[in-house]
Structures are given as structure tokens and as C-alpha cells.
Amino acid sequence: MSWETQRLVAAAALTLIVAETAVIVWLLLRRTVRRRTRLVLEERLRFEALLAELSAGLIHVAAGDIDAALERALQQVGTFLGVDRGNVDEYVAGGPGVRIAWALPGLEESPRVMDADQFPWAAERLRRGEVVRFTRKDELPAEAVIDRASYERVGTRSKVSLPLRAGGPMLGVLSFGSVRAERAWPDGLVERLRLLSEAFASALERKRMELSLAARLRFETLLATLTATFSDLSAADFDREVQRALHRVVDFLGVDRGSLIEFSRDRRTTRSWAIEEWMDVGEFPWMAARLQRGEVVSVSQLEELPDEAAVDRRSYLAHRVKPQVAVPLLVGRTVVGGLVFSTVGADRAKSDELMRQLTVLGEVFANALSRKQGELEAQRLRRDLTHIGRVSAMGELTASLAHELNQPLTAILSNAQAAQRFLAADVVNLEEIREILGDIVADDKRAGEVIHRLRALIKKGDLEPTSLDLNDVVGEVARLMRSDATLRSVSMSLELAADLPRVRGDRVQLQQVVLNLVLNGFEAMREPGAGDGTLIIRTAREGAAAVAIAVEDSGIGIDEKDADRMFQPLYTTKAEGLGMGLAIARTIIDAHGGRIGAANNPRGGATFSFTLPAGTEDRP
Amino acid sequence: MIAVAPLVFVVDDDPSVRKSLTRLLESAGYVVEAFAAAREFLARERYAGPCCLVLDVRMPGLSGLDVQQTLAAAGRRMSIIFATGHVDVPMSVKAMKNGAVDLLTKPVDEKDLLAAIERAVAQDVRERGEEVRVADILERVKTLTARETEVFALVVTGMLNKQIASALGIGEKTVKVHRARVMEKMRAGSVAELVRLADQAGVIVPTS
């Protein structure tokens, strides 16, 4: 091997070594890049795995747990990205909704980016569906001066905000922010965060739908309950049931207080029912006036009250009333009242959903008020009718009552004058005088009782249902009518069932019915062609659940053609009759849940009878 | 004229009223008999002395007006004072037409009641005197023979003896004898007196 050869070999070897070294170096270099690339790839894979896991996990979370799941997800993603804050700000029409927040310990909460007062530029872009991101605040354009100041104030150095959208309107904003250091938000990361935001948005959407479905169901149930309660409500139960209904509505709405206001037809008087007795309409004149004009009144802060609402303002302060919303109650075009709820939450007081619910609830309450007014009207009419009936029956009874009253008065006068004579004698017989005075006292009491009975009969009163023994009712009427029967040469007798169940009813009104039927019988027996002048009042058990009272006369009987009409008002076959007696009897019996009827007797005359449900339970 | 106190009957279904009226009338010096029902009173034997009846109009069973009618139908004269709590015109007219002394409204003041009773008793006494006289006259009529009765009946019609003789188909002298006997038995001093007696006794003249 020559030197040259040696040199060539050496050169070749050197070249080879260099080349090898170069290859090695190249190879070495390639490996580092690959490792770095692998590392980047691995991290990206881990993040994608996290996102996939979070997205998949959110699908199975129950609607009620979604907020908690989102918070966990924020923490995981935030930690992974090494940021300081993460927020999901739910956005509902009319105002902000729930905020889900995660932050490193010690960091104060950041303001909501959808607050257009603090972040007008960012909020606007988010609303348009754009992503807002900046690594340094000086990246923000000149028009974002307010936003920049706001970020500065809370110490945000870098931030990314993505709109949450699931096909429909914007549901909220997902934000991550950095406080300790500036950091970049490369496109790839934003792209992945966008995937995360989609998973978040669909979870929020699902939560919202399920909650609103559940709420709607609860609302429908509430409406059905209230409607059922009010549709069969007597005026007497109104106060109690309105209180209950208000409690239900307040529970449903999750507010503190509720009240129902009623305006009278002349608009001069108002009444209100409230939970916790806080609502006296007189203390909120400005609100009441607006309600009466049919306006919705919503007050979130005292500052919203105009100057003319000074009285209202004082009342708000005095009652510590928080935000309040009042809706007018309309029947046709008439404002019959208002529904007022307080402490609804500043944001909720203005939400469309609440207004929609209040409008529907308002209809239910408006109907209740209108029904109550109608019922009261009917009750007043019934009361007037029975009063007329009693007074006219009084006229017919005047003769017998004069007799009833004059007997004890006669005895009193004669006794007193006899006593005067005894006292004028030379020797006064004190024993005799004492006896006379005793008799005077007894007769005076007797006269008092007649007056009392008379007054009870004329009294214009409301229905006062009590537990009654109808035998007593019949007995009292019979005592009252006894002398009338005598005068009319009627032989009146009672056939009372011994085992009569008690009934629930108004004593005076039922006496009125029996009185009217007996007077009716008397009249029928006065007609030419009447029978032997006997009248029987019977009481009897009618099946298991009813009690019957029958007044059997021996009069001229009923003409078939009158049968349908005789219980109607102002229908009479008597020359002097008002035609009210039987109509009143029927009105009263109807109000007691009973039935009234009449039939001819096989042996002449007619029997008028009515039945009442047995039992002393309060009927609805 | 009569030493015994007049008897006042009280009929009223109300025990308090009966008792108090009895007390009052007794304190005013009357003897009182009270009845709870009209039938009880009607069943009582007739009282010969001066009396009157205080009658409630309105009672179960027979009413006051029924009692008045029943008494009249039986030819029993009675001075009746009605007492009622409720005066109605048809009833008062009926009661007064049938000879009630008075109709008082309850409560009755003693002044009115005692005045009415006084009048009623006076009327009773007067009518009672009348009754006695009529009975006396009727007693005298009973002593007449059949022929004398015929002559009496014709004399009081104003017939002359001759006409009577002709009517009865007897002699004028016989008529004169009968006539003298009638005047004597009837204790009549003149024809005019005889006519008055006949009138008072209500002698029904057989006009055969």
C-alpha cells in the first residue's frame, strides 16, 4: 500500500468519518426534533383526550349536575393549560344567568365579559359569534379602551373568550384568563377550545331545556291546582284559599312574598290578601294607580321610583321590600285587581319567562276575583230575596204575632193593675203582691221571647251553617205558627222521626223554608173546595244520606199546569200572593245542596217536601 | 136591688191571662169564674143572677164568635165583652151586630174593662128584669082557658065584642063574660094595658 494509497484511504476514511459524523450529527439532530415533535404531539394528544373525555362525560351528566360538572371541567382544562381563571357565564334574555367559575386560590372573581358596561367591545364581538383573545393588552384595538381599562382593573394580562352556542341563540361565554403572566392563544388551541365550548354549550342547552321542561311541568301543575281550587270556591272560603294559593305561587316562583289586590268596581276601595301581611295597597299608591291603568309595575331598585312615588318609597323602606313586580288582573278590559310579588331578584324581575308566568297566573287570579264578585252578587240577591220573603211572611203572620205578643202583655197589665188595687187596700197582702210580681216577670220574659223569635226571623243575615236537628227547626216554626193555625181553623200536627240525622245548614233560612211551605199549605186550605183542614209536618230519614221534610196539606192540590212554574219567582195563583214564597224556599234549599218538590196527595191536597244531605261535614 | 156581687165569666185559653184577669176583677169586687175553653163554659149550668162574659175572640176549638152564636141559638141571653189582640173590621162588625156589649183590644186597661163590665152587668140586670116580667105575664096567660085565650087574642087586635062574637060563633054576652075574666086574670085595668102585656109577652095570636 503506497503512501498515496494510504493518503487516499486516509482521506476516504476521514471523509467517511466526517460523513458518518455528519450523518450521526444529522441523525442526532433529527432525533431531538422528533422527540420534541413527539412531545408536542403527545401533549396535544393528552389535551384532546381530556377534551374528548370531558365532552363525553358531559353527555351523561344529569341536568341538575351540569353546573358542577362544568366547574370540574373548567378546573381540569385551566390546570392543563396553566391559566389562572376559567369562567362559564350563562346568558339569559334580559340579563345574566348562572355563573360557573374556577380560579386559582387567592384570585378575586373577574367581572362578566358580557357586561356591556365594562366590556362593550368584547361583548359586542362575542354577541356576533367571534372569539376574543389577546396575549398582551396592547393588542386590543383603540376602540376597546373601556374594555382595556376593565381588564387592567382586575389584573387580566391575557384572555380568551369564546361564545357558547348550540345552534340557537347565544347561551353564554367560556373564558380563560391569565393573571400571573402573559400567554399566547395559538389558533390550534383556540380550535380545540372551540370544540370544548361546543360540548359546554350543548350541556348548557340540555340543562336549560330540562329545567324549563320541569319548570313548565311544575307550572302547569300549579295552574291546574289553582284553577281547580278557584273554580269551586264559595265566597266564604275565599280568604283562606287565596292565602293558600299565594303560598303555592310564592313557593313556585321562589320569591319571598306575594299578595293579591282587589279593586272594587267603583275603583274607590281596595282589598288585599297577602302572605305575611305586608301589602296594604294604601301604602303603595303609585303602584296601585299604575296597576289600575292596566300597567305592569316592576321595581328593582328604589332609585327607579319617580318623584311622585314618595309614599311608595317610604313603604318600600319601611317594609324592607326588595325588588318587586306587580301585574294587573284583567277581566275583559276591566282591571279587577293586581298580583304582586316581592324579592324576585333584580334580574328575574324583568325576565320574559317570569312575565309570561305572571300573566297566566294573573288570569287565574282574575277569574277567581271575578267569580267571587259574581258569587257575592248572587249571595246578596239571595239574601235580599229571603229578606223580602220573611218580611212578607211577617205580614201574613201579623195577626198571630199580635195575639202571641198581646197575651203576655194583657197578663202583665192586668196583674200590675191588680197589684195597684191590692196596695191601695188598708191591709196589704204582701204574699199576693209577691205572687203577682212573679207572674209579671214570667209574662214579660214570654213577651221577650216572642220578640226574639220575630227578630230572628226578620234578621237579614248571611248564611251561617251550623249543625242542626231538623226536628228542632220544625218544632220552632210550628210553635210560631200554632196560633195562626188556630185562627185559620187548621189542625196542625207534627210527625217527627226519632232517629233523624243532623244536617248542616242555616237555622233561620231553613225555618224560613218550613214557614213558607206551611203558610202555603194554610193558603191552599182556604180556597173553596179544600179538605178537612188538617196539615201535617213530617220529618224522615231519606235513604242513608239524606233527611226529608214534608208539609202535607188538605187544600185544593196543585194544578198540573202550575207544577213546573210554581217554584219560579213572582209566579202565583193567589190574588194577594207575591209569588216569592216557594221561589225563596227553592233558593235556600238549592244553596244547602238539597232538592225541593211538590206532589198531589192521593186523597186530596198537596205535599211540599224538601231533602237535605245528612251529615254535619263542611261541604265544599 | 141585689145583694150578691155580679158574676163575671172569663173564657180565655191562655192561663196567664185567665189568672191575671181573675185577680184584677176580684180586686174590683167581682166574683170570677174562668174557663180555658168555650165548651167548658157552655157546659156550665145557667146562672140566674146578674152576670156577664169576658170572651177571648181567638181560641182553639170554638172561637169567641162561635160562643156568641151558640148562646143565641140556644136562646141564652148573655152580656158579652169581647177581648182580642188583633181587631179586624169584619169580625168586630159581626160581634157588635150579634149584640156584644163591647169589643176591647188586648192588653186591656182596667178602666176600660171595669167600665165595660159595669155596663154589661147593668144590661144583664135590665134584661133580666124584662125577662122576669115576661115570665110573669106568660104565667098569667097560662091561667086562661082556651076560650078566654081566644077572646084575649082577639081583644088585643082591637075587635069589638060583636065582631069577636061573630068570629068565634058565640053570643055577645058570653064574649063580655070571657073578656071580664081575661081582664081579671091578666090583671089588666084597661084594654090598652092588656095590649101592652100581650105585646111584651109576645103572644102569638092564632088567626083561625
Side-chain angles (χ1 to χ4, degrees):
Chain A
M1 193 184 276
S2 68
W3 189 84
E4 279 298 314
T5 305
Q6 286 279 324
R7 244 183 37 159
L8 273 174
V9 168
L14 194 69
T15 307
L16 197 67
I17 289 164
V18 168
E20 268 187 358
T21 308
V23 166
I24 288 166
V25 167
W26 178 75
L27 278 174
L28 278 171
L29 277 172
R30 241 188 77 158
R31 224 167 82 195
T32 312
V33 169
R34 249 187 35 212
R35 199 169 64 227
R36 222 176 49 226
T37 310
R38 206 175 64 228
L39 280 175
V40 170
L41 271 176
E42 276 176 0
E43 185 165 304
R44 198 183 274 183
L45 274 173
R46 279 204 298 124
F47 188 51
E48 275 178 11
L50 173 65
L51 293 185
E53 186 192 317
L54 290 176
S55 304
L58 282 173
I59 294 171
H60 303 292
V61 175
D65 300 331
I66 282 177
D67 288 356
L70 289 181
E71 192 183 333
R72 273 197 310 277
L74 276 179
Q75 183 190 352
Q76 282 174 277
V77 175
T79 310
F80 188 95
L81 295 177
V83 297
D84 307 325
R85 270 204 275 254
N87 290 313
V88 171
D89 288 320
E90 237 186 302
Y91 183 76
V92 293
V98 176
R99 155 166 265 209
I100 301 156
W102 164 81
L104 284 180
L107 277 185
E108 63 171 315
E109 202 173 309
S110 65
R112 293 168 185 243
V113 72
M114 282 310 289
D115 182 348
D117 290 340
Q118 297 190 57
F119 304 100
W121 175 80
E124 177 52 30
R125 297 190 65 178
L126 286 165
R127 197 169 288 122
R128 289 209 304 263
E130 294 171 24
V131 175
V132 175
R133 60 175 155 168
F134 58 91
T135 302
R136 293 184 308 279
K137 280 190 285 294
D138 50 18
E139 287 176 11
L140 290 167
E143 64 261 37
V145 57
I146 299 174
D147 303 60
R148 193 185 309 178
S150 302
Y151 286 125
E152 201 125 11
R153 201 172 52 249
V154 296
T156 301
R157 299 170 94 162
S158 305
K159 184 154 188 165
V160 61
S161 294
L162 302 100
L164 294 174
R165 228 178 248 278
M170 190 166 81
L171 300 168
V173 178
L174 168 66
S175 305
F176 290 102
S178 179
V179 177
R180 293 168 301 177
E182 289 178 352
R183 66 159 294 163
W185 312 99
D187 288 349
L189 176 62
V190 169
E191 208 45 50
R192 270 151 196 82
L193 287 178
R194 204 191 279 282
L195 288 175
L196 181 69
S197 79
E198 271 167 27
F200 275 28
S202 51
L204 283 180
E205 173 74 358
R206 192 158 57 83
K207 180 186 91 172
R208 189 174 293 192
M209 278 174 63
E210 284 185 26
L211 284 181
S212 80
L213 196 69
R216 195 168 299 165
L217 211 71
R218 281 206 302 138
F219 187 65
E220 295 299 329
T221 313
L222 173 75
L223 279 184
T225 315
L226 293 183
T227 308
T229 306
F230 287 143
S231 70
D232 192 24
L233 184 56
S234 74
D237 298 330
F238 190 81
D239 292 356
R240 196 186 61 219
E241 288 302 330
V242 160
Q243 287 277 354
R244 274 197 209 168
L246 284 173
H247 269 288
R248 284 205 185 100
V249 174
V250 159
D251 286 347
F252 174 81
L253 296 175
V255 299
D256 288 351
R257 306 172 183 179
S259 77
L260 172 68
I261 300 169
E262 179 185 18
F263 298 130
S264 68
R265 282 189 189 163
D266 56 10
R267 296 187 157 207
R268 253 180 271 161
T269 53
T270 49
R271 263 202 74 182
S272 58
W273 296 262
I275 296 177
E276 295 184 19
E277 296 305 325
W278 63 280
M279 191 53 173
D280 181 352
V281 190
E283 295 182 90
F284 297 89
W286 174 77
M287 183 200 70
R290 288 190 59 188
L291 275 181
Q292 282 194 333
R293 288 201 297 271
E295 295 170 23
V296 173
V297 187
S298 172
V299 176
S300 302
Q301 290 171 316
L302 279 180
E303 294 74 59
E304 292 174 22
L305 290 172
D307 292 342
E308 65 262 32
V311 179
D312 294 61
R313 179 174 300 141
R314 271 200 300 280
S315 306
Y316 276 107
L317 287 171
H319 294 288
R320 286 199 287 276
V321 177
K322 289 173 198 152
Q324 167 169 304
V325 59
V327 291
L329 303 181
L330 291 154
V331 172
R333 287 184 183 176
T334 315
V335 180
V336 293
L339 207 49
V340 187
F341 294 99
S342 148
T343 319
V344 277
D347 43 349
R348 273 198 76 200
K350 285 175 177 149
S351 87
D352 292 345
E353 176 70 3
L354 181 73
M355 284 319 301
R356 195 186 66 78
Q357 290 176 339
L358 288 183
T359 308
V360 182
L361 284 170
E363 272 172 37
V364 175
F365 278 90
N367 283 336
L369 281 182
S370 134
R371 278 184 62 94
K372 189 202 76 165
Q373 281 166 357
E375 163 99 356
L376 284 177
E377 199 88 338
Q379 220 173 44
R380 189 156 47 235
L381 201 66
R382 200 154 56 215
R383 208 162 50 209
D384 287 352
L385 268 182
T386 49
H387 182 65
I388 291 172
R390 278 192 221 127
V391 173
S392 63
M394 268 321 100
E396 293 172 55
L397 279 173
T398 311
S400 66
L401 281 164
H403 184 76
E404 286 257 330
L405 206 53
N406 278 323
Q407 292 296 75
L409 290 180
T410 303
I412 290 169
L413 184 61
S414 301
N415 273 324
Q417 289 179 330
Q420 283 175 333
R421 285 172 172 278
F422 285 126
L423 287 170
D426 294 335
V427 182
V428 177
N429 182 346
L430 279 180
E431 191 47 48
E432 179 92 50
I433 300 287
R434 193 170 294 130
E435 203 180 304
I436 289 173
L437 288 177
D439 286 351
I440 288 176
V441 170
D443 279 311
D444 189 270
K445 280 184 181 159
R446 186 176 142 205
E449 273 167 32
V450 175
I451 301 275
H452 183 75
R453 285 212 302 274
L454 185 67
R455 202 160 44 202
L457 203 62
I458 304 179
K459 197 179 80 179
K460 193 172 166 180
D462 288 315
L463 199 74
E464 284 173 17
T466 50
S467 166
L468 293 176
D469 182 346
L470 283 181
N471 283 343
D472 290 347
V473 172
V474 168
E476 282 154 17
V477 173
R479 262 200 303 286
L480 192 70
M481 304 294 286
R482 189 65 70 190
S483 61
D484 205 51
T486 301
L487 186 69
R488 295 167 187 261
S489 304
V490 170
S491 150
M492 182 168 68
S493 59
L494 306 183
E495 292 178 10
L496 305 178
D499 60 340
L500 208 61
R502 296 179 80 84
V503 300
R504 189 165 168 78
D506 182 276
R507 173 177 298 274
V508 176
Q509 291 203 351
L510 291 178
Q511 279 176 350
Q512 170 80 45
V513 174
V514 178
L515 182 86
N516 284 3
L517 295 187
V518 171
L519 277 173
N520 203 60
F522 284 177
E523 289 298 322
M525 292 191 286
R526 220 169 66 169
E527 303 286 325
D532 58 3
T534 58
L535 182 134
I536 306 165
I537 312 178
R538 283 198 186 86
T539 60
R541 214 179 239 280
E542 178 97 349
V547 178
I549 292 189
V551 177
E552 181 184 321
D553 66 46
S554 52
I556 48 167
I558 310 160
D559 195 325
E560 292 281 325
K561 69 179 165 56
D562 296 331
D564 292 338
R565 289 181 294 166
M566 65 190 169
F567 288 104
Q568 288 172 11
L570 303 175
Y571 184 76
T572 181
T573 56
K574 293 179 280 189
E576 292 162 5
L578 252 182
M580 295 309 294
L582 291 177
I584 287 160
R586 189 213 187 122
T587 311
I588 295 173
I589 294 305
D590 283 352
H592 280 77
R595 282 179 296 107
I596 190 164
N600 279 325
N601 304 328
R603 292 194 297 168
T607 297
F608 283 76
S609 59
F610 63 87
T611 58
L612 292 176
T616 57
E617 293 300 306
D618 207 353
R619 281 189 306 276
Chain B
M1 178 173 97
I2 295 147
V4 291
L7 179 56
V8 180
F9 299 107
V10 172
V11 181
D12 198 306
D13 63 315
D14 190 304
S16 300
V17 173
R18 280 203 304 278
K19 193 174 172 189
S20 63
L21 285 180
T22 302
R23 209 175 250 149
L24 178 66
L25 295 177
E26 280 175 354
S27 74
Y30 290 98
V31 177
V32 182
E33 257 184 54
F35 301 86
R39 290 189 194 285
E40 287 176 29
F41 167 71
L42 292 173
R44 188 199 186 278
E45 60 170 321
R46 294 177 65 162
Y47 179 66
C51 63
C52 73
L53 169 62
V54 178
L55 186 58
D56 187 18
V57 175
R58 188 171 175 164
M59 290 178 292
L62 287 179
S63 75
L65 289 177
D66 293 336
V67 172
Q68 189 184 34
Q69 276 171 351
T70 307
L71 288 171
R76 288 173 64 175
R77 189 192 45 74
M78 178 63 72
S79 295
I80 300 176
I81 300 161
F82 283 105
T84 176
H86 183 70
V87 181
D88 73 79
V89 175
M91 190 263 288
S92 1
V93 168
K94 202 171 167 193
M96 298 310 282
K97 251 184 164 171
N98 289 337
V101 177
D102 211 339
L103 196 141
L104 303 174
T105 51
K106 285 179 174 177
V108 190
D109 187 77
E110 65 170 351
K111 192 159 52 64
D112 300 334
L113 179 64
L114 295 177
I117 287 178
E118 208 169 299
R119 265 184 288 126
V121 172
Q123 181 183 312
D124 178 70
V125 169
R126 199 167 57 243
E127 287 176 354
R128 188 168 306 278
E130 203 92 334
E131 225 175 35
V132 169
R133 217 161 30 248
V134 170
D136 182 43
I137 295 164
L138 287 176
E139 281 304 308
R140 292 182 220 169
V141 172
K142 274 186 196 160
T143 62
L144 301 176
T145 64
R147 183 60 85 188
E148 284 165 356
T149 308
E150 283 176 338
V151 171
F152 171 48
L154 293 176
V155 168
V156 297
T157 64
M159 275 188 169
L160 299 174
N161 286 350
K162 202 197 293 178
Q163 290 169 307
I164 296 169
S166 157
L168 295 176
I170 53 172
E172 204 179 327
K173 275 193 180 165
T174 317
V175 172
K176 265 189 176 173
V177 173
H178 285 308
R179 184 170 174 160
R181 296 288 292 277
V182 168
M183 295 293 277
E184 187 189 334
K185 283 182 175 175
M186 293 303 291
R187 285 177 255 151
S190 64
V191 173
E193 199 177 337
L194 192 68
V195 170
R196 193 172 52 81
L197 287 173
D199 193 37
Q200 280 178 352
V203 172
I204 295 161
V205 183
T207 49
S208 56

